[in-house]
Amino acid sequence: MIRYVLVVLVGVATVVSVPIAVISGGAGWWILASLCFVLAAVGVHDLLQTTHSVLRNYPILGHSRYLLEAVPPEIQQYFIERNVDGRPFDRDTRTIIYERAKGIHGELSFGTERDIDSVGYDFLVHSMAPVPEPAEPPRVLIGGSDCTRPYSMALLNVSSMSFGALSGNALKALNKAAALGGFAHDTGEGGLTPYHLGGGDLVWEIGSGYFGTRTPDGRFDPDQFAENAAHEHVKVVSVKLSQGAKPGLGGVLPAAKVSEEIAGYREVPAHEKCVSPSAHSAFRTPRELVEFVGRLRELAGGKPVGFKLCVGSRIEFLALCKAMIDVGATPDFIVVDGAEGGTAAAPLEYEDHVGLPLTDGLMTVHNAFVGSGLRDRIKIGASGKVAAGNDIVKRLIQGADFTNAARAMMMAIGCIQAQRCHTNACPVGVATQDPMRSRALNVADKSIRAWRYQEATVQQAVQIMASLGASDPSELTPHMLRRKIDATHVRSYAEIYEWLSPGALLDDPPESWAADWEAATPDSFRVS
């Protein structure tokens, strides 16, 4: 009943106010009359429409429900959350990124606000005899025995984000930062575009859509690949098997972001959702994948080639190890993406429930390579919520050789964690193809900020390592990372997790790995 009364009252107000406005001629009356007319029209529309039940029952007033539904994320972030709250990145982490990007050291006072007695809390173990920091940050040489043009990788690099996911200006800023700071910039799977070619070292990522090296029917084009891989700024090639946000799903670029320009680079229809297949057509088995990597290395003139994945089945990964042994060749590197990663648009079920977290995936890969005698031939990268120096050190202890960051790099060039990346309505011009929004991102300024952020974060990681008694990542051990496992016990990663000895899977697989090793076959990814 109230809905009809409300519309009638607004209608009556309109009928009464319009003549008064005409007679009086006052501006205020005209404004009131116009407002009443608009409200009456809205009320009638609400009563007649059949899409929203709330509006049919509560015309006009019901719109407040949708307004209140839209603003809680902003209210939560700006007025309610504490410094250690907030997801995916809390306020303290965001502040560190912003301050380092601005050239502020990023220090805080008065002690930690985190609950360091909570179960699951990780501690880095400092030494009573810290060592001096090295004059230059350590770097990692990427390139196995089959690689003729190895690449020196920084400890922290720009993780894969394509043109389409990010704006052209965002990519320009990140690439210029990579050139200034001497770190690598992963192109993402959207192809090699002019926005990536600003002078920074590139990791060219090839996804299942083969954008940038694609035949008309969407298959791999070796000639186009060889041409692009020969570019002087392409230092490394990476095959994307899966990603943390949506492992096993393939890539998705919403239709709103598929502009004419992006469609041209990807060789797909414009203004339609661009979906990469969930699986590659160039290979179907572990053995074929290893052979494909070798073929890419030859086509790339001996540049390092590897692949990126979010780890799922341990049996499938062990099948890859067996394939490498049988073929007698290995990738030069593997990047492990954790399920907590996520710059891409993805269904919530995938973001929340599919794929192994980075710690589990990274340690699975490291131990599998150690146990199969391959670890010294393959470097391991880690990506997934790497943002601060302690994140880098933690991942190095868990088995990585280098790390990549995506969202932290986005924040360094202005991202405010609005979580509108998939809508094309990024408020700061980072994750959008709207030219009016992306023009707000000043490339010259933001490139300096991303450079500062990377440099300061790596320096902090090096300083932490020195506090642990290590001047080089090779000196880090699992004993240096400890975890609170219950209310009264703390254990080191050396005690909590199993660490295989070199060649253990080949000689006498431990009981915990034996069944999976036996089930793995180099000729199938299927788990029988």
Side-chain angles (χ1 to χ4, degrees):
M1 185 65 182
I2 187 173
R3 61 184 183 275
Y4 298 107
V5 172
L6 181 62
V7 173
V8 169
L9 289 175
V10 173
V12 170
T14 302
V15 172
V16 172
S17 61
V18 169
I20 294 176
V22 172
I23 295 171
S24 67
W29 279 107
W30 276 111
I31 294 173
L32 177 61
S34 299
L35 177 60
C36 290
F37 180 80
V38 170
L39 289 176
V42 170
V44 171
H45 171 270
D46 290 347
L47 285 174
L48 297 178
Q49 60 85 35
T50 58
T51 304
H52 302 288
S53 300
V54 169
L55 296 181
R56 295 197 77 187
N57 284 334
Y58 303 95
I60 303 175
L61 287 178
H63 288 280
S64 62
R65 183 259 185 193
Y66 298 104
L67 174 63
L68 293 173
E69 186 181 53
V71 297
E74 287 78 11
I75 293 175
Q76 178 73 24
Q77 181 177 134
Y78 294 116
F79 301 108
I80 297 176
E81 73 178 35
R82 300 174 305 156
N83 290 338
V84 294
D85 291 334
R87 295 288 188 273
F89 292 86
D90 60 54
R91 188 187 297 273
D92 270 351
T93 301
R94 301 196 305 269
T95 298
I96 285 176
I97 296 169
Y98 296 144
E99 290 190 349
R100 286 178 178 163
K102 294 174 184 177
I104 304 171
H105 192 271
E107 293 178 334
L108 297 174
S109 59
F110 221 64
T112 182
E113 292 185 46
R114 300 187 184 277
D115 182 5
I116 62 176
D117 285 321
S118 61
V119 174
Y121 197 87
D122 282 341
F123 306 81
L124 289 165
V125 181
H126 69 281
S127 172
M128 294 177 67
V131 299
E133 299 172 37
E136 295 293 332
R139 298 182 71 90
V140 182
L141 192 65
I142 307 294
S145 57
D146 300 319
C147 175
T148 59
R149 300 170 67 179
Y151 175 70
S152 178
M153 187 79 75
L155 291 183
L156 177 64
N157 307 278
V158 181
S159 195
S160 53
M161 294 177 287
S162 63
F163 177 53
L166 298 192
S167 67
N169 278 353
L171 291 175
K172 283 182 179 179
L174 290 173
N175 192 259
K176 186 176 180 181
L180 291 170
F183 51 94
H185 176 195
D186 193 310
T187 66
E189 66 173 309
L192 196 61
T193 74
Y195 302 108
H196 295 104
L197 302 175
D201 293 344
L202 291 177
V203 177
W204 181 26
E205 183 173 278
I206 308 297
S208 56
Y210 303 116
F211 305 124
T213 176
R214 175 186 175 95
T215 62
D217 62 349
R219 303 181 76 83
F220 175 70
D221 184 340
D223 294 330
Q224 193 178 13
F225 172 83
E227 180 182 351
N228 282 330
H231 196 285
E232 61 176 326
H233 293 310
V234 174
K235 305 298 184 181
V236 179
V237 176
S238 177
V239 179
K240 192 200 88 170
L241 301 184
S242 59
Q243 62 192 96
K246 50 188 175 188
L249 188 60
V252 179
L253 188 64
K257 286 191 170 187
V258 186
S259 64
E260 296 284 349
E261 184 181 21
I262 289 172
Y265 293 133
R266 298 193 180 204
E267 300 175 83
V268 298
H271 312 300
E272 296 182 16
K273 183 169 67 173
C274 179
V275 180
S276 301
S278 57
H280 281 257
S281 59
F283 53 86
R284 294 294 183 186
T285 69
R287 189 186 303 276
E288 290 176 356
L289 170 56
V290 174
E291 292 170 345
F292 181 65
V293 167
R295 183 186 179 198
L296 294 184
R297 190 186 294 115
E298 291 179 7
L299 291 170
K303 293 179 180 179
V305 179
F307 55 83
K308 180 183 84 171
L309 82 166
C310 178
V311 178
S313 165
R314 188 168 74 172
I315 295 176
E316 289 186 354
F317 195 82
L318 291 175
L320 268 174
C321 295
K322 285 190 173 181
M324 295 174 197
I325 295 169
D326 280 7
V327 174
T330 64
D332 297 295
F333 69 94
I334 287 179
V335 174
V336 181
D337 203 13
E340 60 268 54
T343 58
L348 182 63
E349 295 90 338
Y350 276 81
E351 289 187 338
D352 288 350
H353 302 292
V354 183
L356 288 184
L358 183 53
T359 293
D360 301 287
L362 178 58
M363 294 179 65
T364 295
V365 170
H366 171 74
N367 276 298
F369 282 155
V370 170
S372 56
L374 299 169
R375 184 64 179 90
D376 60 341
R377 299 174 59 182
I378 306 169
K379 294 298 188 288
I380 300 176
S383 62
K385 292 191 74 172
V386 175
N390 59 286
D391 297 323
I392 297 175
V393 177
K394 176 179 176 178
R395 299 312 178 187
L396 297 180
I397 289 175
Q398 292 174 345
D401 296 294
F402 64 93
T403 63
N404 295 334
R407 287 168 290 182
M409 290 291 183
M410 290 170 63
M411 291 182 199
I413 60 172
C415 168
I416 58 172
Q417 196 171 276
Q419 296 177 280
R420 298 289 184 268
C421 310
H422 61 296
T423 66
N424 206 34
C426 172
V428 292
V430 174
T432 180
Q433 296 306 309
D434 183 336
M436 294 303 294
R437 292 176 181 270
S438 62
R439 68 182 291 275
L441 195 154
N442 183 290
V443 173
D445 175 60
K446 300 304 184 184
S447 59
I448 297 294
R449 292 193 179 205
W451 172 28
R452 287 194 195 117
Y453 162 70
Q454 191 272 351
E455 183 178 56
T457 303
V458 169
Q459 184 55 48
Q460 191 63 62
V462 171
Q463 186 178 66
I464 292 173
M465 284 191 284
S467 296
L468 304 186
S471 57
D472 186 84
S474 62
E475 299 173 6
L476 297 171
T477 72
H479 295 279
M480 297 175 177
L481 183 60
R482 299 175 71 84
R483 170 168 290 184
K484 184 90 168 181
I485 60 172
D486 60 37
T488 57
H489 295 90
V490 175
R491 296 285 186 269
S492 75
Y493 270 59
E495 300 170 279
I496 298 172
Y497 293 95
E498 182 178 25
W499 300 84
L500 299 188
S501 57
L505 294 175
L506 305 176
D507 302 328
D508 184 20
E511 183 178 353
S512 56
W513 286 71
D516 287 355
W517 180 254
E518 178 65 25
T521 170
D523 294 308
S524 177
F525 282 116
R526 298 298 179 190
V527 178
S528 58

